Amino acid sequence: MSQLNLDLLSINTIRTLAIDAVQQANSGHPGAPMGLAPVVYELWQRHLRYDPADPHWPNRDRFVLSAGHASMLLYATLHLAGVKEAAKDGKILDSLAVSLDEIKRFRQIGSKTPGHPESHITTGVETTTGPLGQGAGNSVGMAIAGKWLGANFNKPGFEIFDFNMYAVCGDGDMMEGVASEAASLAGHLKLSNLCWIYDNNHVTLDGPANWSFNEDVMTRFLGYGWSVTHIADANDLDALGRAYEVFRHTVGRPTLIVVDSHIGYGSPHKQDTYEAHGEPLGEAEVKLVKKNYGWPEDAKFLVPDGVYDQFKNGIGKRGAEAHSAWNAKFADYKKQFPQLADQLTRMQSGQLPDGWDKNLPSFPADPKGIATRESSGKTLNALAANIPWLVGGSADLAKSNKTNLTFEGAGDFFPDAYHGRNIHFGVREHAMGAIVNGMTLSKLRAFSATFFNFSDYMRPSMRLGALMEIPAIYIFTHDSIGVGEDGPTHQPVEQLASYRAMPNMLVFRPGDANEVVEAYKIAIQHTHGPSTMVFTRQAMPTFDRTKYAAASGVAKGAYVLADAAGGKPDVILLSSGSEVGLCAAAYEKLTADGVKARVVSMPCWELFEQQDATYKESVLPASVTARISVEMESVFGWDRYTGPKGKIIGMRSFGASAPLKDLLKKFGFELENVLAAVKEVLGK
């Protein structure tokens, strides 16, 4: 069989596997895989530097399907390319990442082929996509990581990192703001290792794309500083190949390849229609499509003779050779640069360097204290000085967030100067979250920072970070109505409760500077999920730890900070963040008045919920029903801990624009109000 015929046979195998999987599941999106199969085939078979035998090879090219609804396009390609499965510990297994049986179980419970690609489920899926624009943002983070790794680890004669980043995007990605923000930053940073492939099929879920979208995308991306190429026919492998080659030789700018395609290609009645987007073709139409492809009409999940060998002799052979050459080079690199090689090995395996926790700050008792954004900045700098691959930045708020890395040699990540540790995201919170996820997926320990109120802009990215179980660190300051005069537009109220509701997310709101240090120690060692760090703008007391319990109690999520004599309280005061100091002040007054009180600091509900029943009972004994929670956030969720007989002091409205002292009085965050609540729950 000729090469041309083998190419077409392989492309049609991708198409028909997608068609059959969607039809059998009676759910899914067949149209995009049918139109894009040649685009992805040409990329994987002839250009992607990727070893199917080791999909975790550090210098592999990355492929992201931002148009995640076309998941069967990726699953079919992973299967035909023979991509091996990796165990949770990273060990490469003999089994396939996506077997034919898994394709037959598309969208079924417990399968490795969920409706949208999920990186923690399916080896070879670089990132979890589906919410449009997120994968595009991730790809920018991966490209940033590639540039940073190259700048910091490559040496003359040893180009250890030079991977490229490819992302397939659809009309939805082009319309979503997160992708636009990411594209803007990528152009500014001149990320020449980044290529987006735009599936320009003129169709959206509701109907023709021109119902809602007719902008000149190519001109927009030229304005961003991208190189732009147009392919008039998605089936033209030669033109696609030339475009990929042009990208690989383009310097100083990322590349957008606009590919005109036909959604549902080959379907007599549904090609170029929205009906091909999000529903099965139907048995009768499937037979007609297969007839158009020259395919046996009744065959299902057919992989014809020669197709597996075609991929094996293409991407399989190329990838193995490239990987082998890289391994030989890295073996020499380890001999000449053992310290750097050790860092890379630890980074790839999720380990921290020896001494990662040395010289962490310890804060002396201080009744005036400092804002936790300040203690956060000091702690973050100490950690980053010890962990060379801790990298991140802020959305144009680094001076306010206190996240600037200022130690000697930290530096800035600028266009054509990719060595620095400070990323300047600009006012792009939507993209920042997705980019940090992409950096984290590339094995950097990446962090973002902005005001807590703007976490709403980052929520989709944070949710995907939690779903992917990746150790990103999301830093937020200006955490409550304590923001003061900026007013309710900038005062977060409901955000804390909403992130506590998010599965697999550790949310820390530390009660003083030393709790901040302990929270960071936990977050930096946490490898299977992200951490959300919530810090104050205003100063708060630093507790005297010779008088109060050690801050190491943060590791259990909640702990007894101060207790009644004999450990038998009549009333329990619960809090997090800046209000722990208010509870401590109430405790001192109550103790002086002979009331047996306990203060429980609760910086991380999620960690507390992971403790055993004995520990929980020791902190919150069921026999003590007189409980008061105090937090300058939404009251939502606190009833879990205060119980039906307790009282919740918190926010039941938005805040207001005023000096902090006036806000505290207006909303009841004063000592007198807490003491009055104690009397109430004690029935006095």
Side-chain angles (χ1 to χ4, degrees):
M1 187 178 292
S2 71
Q3 181 60 57
L4 184 62
N5 287 337
L6 270 174
D7 285 338
L8 185 58
L9 190 69
S10 301
I11 290 165
N12 285 338
T13 303
I14 295 173
R15 287 168 165 154
T16 55
L17 286 175
I19 291 168
D20 288 341
V22 171
Q23 192 62 41
Q24 179 155 301
N26 197 30
S27 173
H29 301 73
M34 294 163 71
L36 282 174
V39 177
V40 172
Y41 171 78
E42 175 67 21
L43 174 62
W44 278 67
Q45 181 71 343
R46 298 195 173 92
H47 303 275
L48 195 73
R49 187 173 42 182
Y50 184 93
D51 183 4
D54 185 0
H56 288 171
W57 170 31
N59 198 39
R60 69 189 180 280
D61 286 348
R62 271 75 167 171
F63 174 81
V64 167
L65 185 67
S66 191
H69 56 274
S71 56
M72 266 311 307
L73 174 65
L74 178 55
Y75 297 146
T77 303
L78 292 173
H79 171 70
L80 296 173
V83 175
K84 294 294 186 182
E85 184 178 12
K88 288 293 185 183
D89 63 2
K91 181 181 178 182
I92 306 300
L93 308 176
D94 288 334
S95 52
L96 289 177
V98 179
S99 67
L100 199 57
D101 284 340
E102 290 294 342
I103 286 177
K104 293 175 182 178
R105 297 203 311 129
F106 178 56
R107 288 186 166 223
Q108 304 308 300
I109 192 75
S111 78
K112 294 177 182 174
T113 49
H116 293 82
E118 298 183 45
S119 59
H120 68 295
I121 289 177
T122 314
T123 305
V125 173
E126 297 285 1
T127 182
T128 297
T129 57
L132 293 173
Q134 287 290 326
N138 296 157
S139 73
V140 174
M142 294 173 180
I144 287 173
K147 290 294 189 183
W148 188 89
L149 289 165
N152 283 276
F153 289 97
N154 291 352
K155 296 293 179 183
F158 291 96
E159 201 163 10
I160 300 301
F161 287 106
D162 60 352
F163 63 80
N164 287 320
M165 195 42 255
Y166 299 88
V168 168
C169 307
D171 287 309
D173 293 289
M174 292 299 151
M175 286 188 259
E176 288 285 1
V178 58
S180 299
E181 287 184 15
S184 171
L185 183 60
H188 167 75
L189 291 172
K190 302 181 180 181
L191 300 178
S192 58
N193 58 344
L194 177 65
C195 178
W196 285 6
I197 304 157
Y198 170 30
D199 176 25
N200 185 35
N201 61 31
H202 307 289
V203 173
T204 64
L205 179 64
D206 278 348
N210 62 16
W211 283 3
S212 60
F213 187 67
N214 65 352
E215 70 183 40
D216 185 341
V217 171
M218 296 177 69
T219 298
R220 169 154 66 102
F221 274 74
L222 286 171
Y224 285 149
W226 288 53
S227 172
V228 178
T229 302
H230 181 224
I231 304 297
D233 180 5
N235 294 296
D236 188 340
L237 299 186
D238 289 339
L240 288 165
R242 288 193 297 272
Y244 294 142
E245 283 298 316
V246 169
F247 154 65
R248 288 167 58 188
H249 292 92
T250 296
V251 296
R253 55 183 55 203
T255 293
L256 176 73
I257 302 175
V258 179
V259 181
D260 293 344
S261 71
H262 295 282
I263 194 169
Y265 178 80
S267 173
H269 301 108
K270 296 189 177 182
Q271 178 175 311
D272 296 328
T273 71
Y274 69 92
E275 285 92 345
H277 176 87
E279 60 188 43
L281 297 175
E283 292 289 354
E285 190 73 7
V286 167
K287 290 187 176 184
L288 293 175
V289 171
K290 289 180 177 177
K291 184 178 180 180
N292 276 351
Y293 292 165
W295 213 256
E297 293 176 30
D298 294 320
K300 292 185 178 180
F301 301 101
L302 173 65
V303 180
D305 292 343
V307 172
Y308 287 126
D309 284 341
Q310 173 75 348
F311 279 88
K312 184 178 179 180
N313 295 327
I315 185 172
K317 183 172 183 292
R318 283 191 310 101
E321 290 172 352
H323 189 186
S324 178
W326 186 89
N327 282 341
K329 184 178 291 187
F330 189 63
D332 290 339
Y333 182 87
K334 283 196 287 188
K335 295 174 184 176
Q336 293 198 36
F337 309 101
Q339 185 177 4
L340 290 176
D342 177 67
Q343 288 182 15
L344 286 176
T345 300
R346 289 174 184 259
M347 187 192 315
Q348 292 298 318
S349 62
Q351 296 177 302
L352 295 170
D354 295 338
W356 66 269
D357 56 352
K358 68 184 178 184
N359 302 323
L360 293 182
S362 177
F363 296 91
D366 183 352
K368 291 185 178 180
I370 62 173
T372 48
R373 63 169 173 161
E374 297 273 3
S375 48
S376 163
K378 295 177 186 298
T379 307
L380 186 65
N381 265 273
L383 285 168
N386 298 335
I387 305 170
W389 53 94
L390 180 56
V391 183
S394 174
D396 200 47
L397 290 169
K399 292 182 177 66
S400 294
N401 298 148
K402 307 299 180 184
T403 50
N404 270 327
L405 301 180
T406 57
F407 57 88
E408 185 177 355
D412 295 286
F413 187 93
F414 285 146
D416 297 322
Y418 300 122
H419 186 274
R421 308 273 291 279
N422 289 293
I423 311 286
H424 299 277
F425 291 104
V427 188
R428 300 184 181 95
E429 282 95 350
H430 298 85
M432 177 172 66
I435 289 169
V436 163
N437 286 349
M439 294 166 65
T440 305
L441 287 160
S442 305
K443 303 301 183 180
L444 300 183
R445 291 308 305 270
F447 66 88
S448 62
T450 186
F451 291 169
F452 194 31
N453 198 56
F454 304 146
S455 65
D456 290 342
Y457 290 173
M458 292 180 58
R459 186 180 306 276
S461 303
M462 295 172 68
R463 184 176 184 274
L464 287 175
L467 182 60
M468 289 188 279
E469 304 175 4
I470 59 172
I473 298 177
Y474 311 117
I475 299 170
F476 299 103
T477 68
H478 297 61
D479 71 338
S480 69
I481 63 168
V483 170
E485 290 87 346
D486 272 347
T489 61
H490 283 56
Q491 293 170 359
V493 173
E494 75 281 10
Q495 282 78 4
L496 190 62
S498 70
Y499 286 108
R500 285 171 173 161
M502 188 176 285
N504 202 41
M505 176 72 76
L506 293 183
V507 182
F508 294 93
R509 188 172 184 251
D512 81 340
N514 289 305
E515 282 196 5
V516 169
V517 178
E518 296 300 321
Y520 267 114
K521 286 165 67 175
I522 296 163
I524 209 70
Q525 294 178 87
H526 184 51
T527 57
H528 290 88
S531 298
T532 292
M533 319 296 282
V534 183
F535 302 126
T536 65
R537 173 182 183 264
Q538 75 275 23
M540 48 200 274
T542 304
F543 298 117
D544 182 351
R545 296 292 173 169
T546 64
K547 178 180 178 182
Y548 295 104
S552 57
V554 172
K556 292 186 180 293
Y559 66 103
V560 178
L561 179 71
D563 207 2
K568 295 189 179 297
D570 293 326
V571 63
I572 302 176
L573 305 174
L574 308 93
S575 191
S576 80
S578 49
E579 294 75 71
V580 178
L582 178 56
C583 288
Y587 165 84
E588 298 293 345
K589 183 68 169 69
L590 292 168
T591 302
D593 292 345
V595 178
K596 295 180 180 179
R598 169 180 290 183
V599 177
V600 174
S601 177
M602 301 191 70
C604 183
W605 290 14
E606 297 78 25
L607 287 177
F608 183 60
E609 289 300 322
Q610 293 172 15
Q611 307 309 310
D612 60 32
T614 301
Y615 179 76
K616 290 180 183 177
E617 173 67 16
S618 74
V619 175
L620 299 176
S623 60
V624 184
T625 59
R627 302 179 182 183
I628 298 166
S629 68
V630 186
E631 193 175 60
M632 288 197 289
E633 312 281 351
S634 168
V635 299
F636 191 86
W638 270 109
D639 54 341
R640 177 194 301 185
Y641 300 116
T642 58
K645 296 182 180 179
K647 187 172 177 61
I648 303 172
I649 299 175
M651 295 299 296
R652 291 173 169 83
S653 68
F654 292 109
S657 176
L660 177 58
K661 61 181 176 54
D662 296 329
L663 293 172
L664 297 179
K665 182 176 181 179
K666 175 179 174 61
F667 293 107
F669 297 101
E670 292 187 305
L671 179 60
E672 292 75 13
N673 195 42
V674 177
L675 296 174
V678 171
K679 287 185 178 181
E680 183 180 335
V681 297
L682 289 175
K684 295 182 179 179

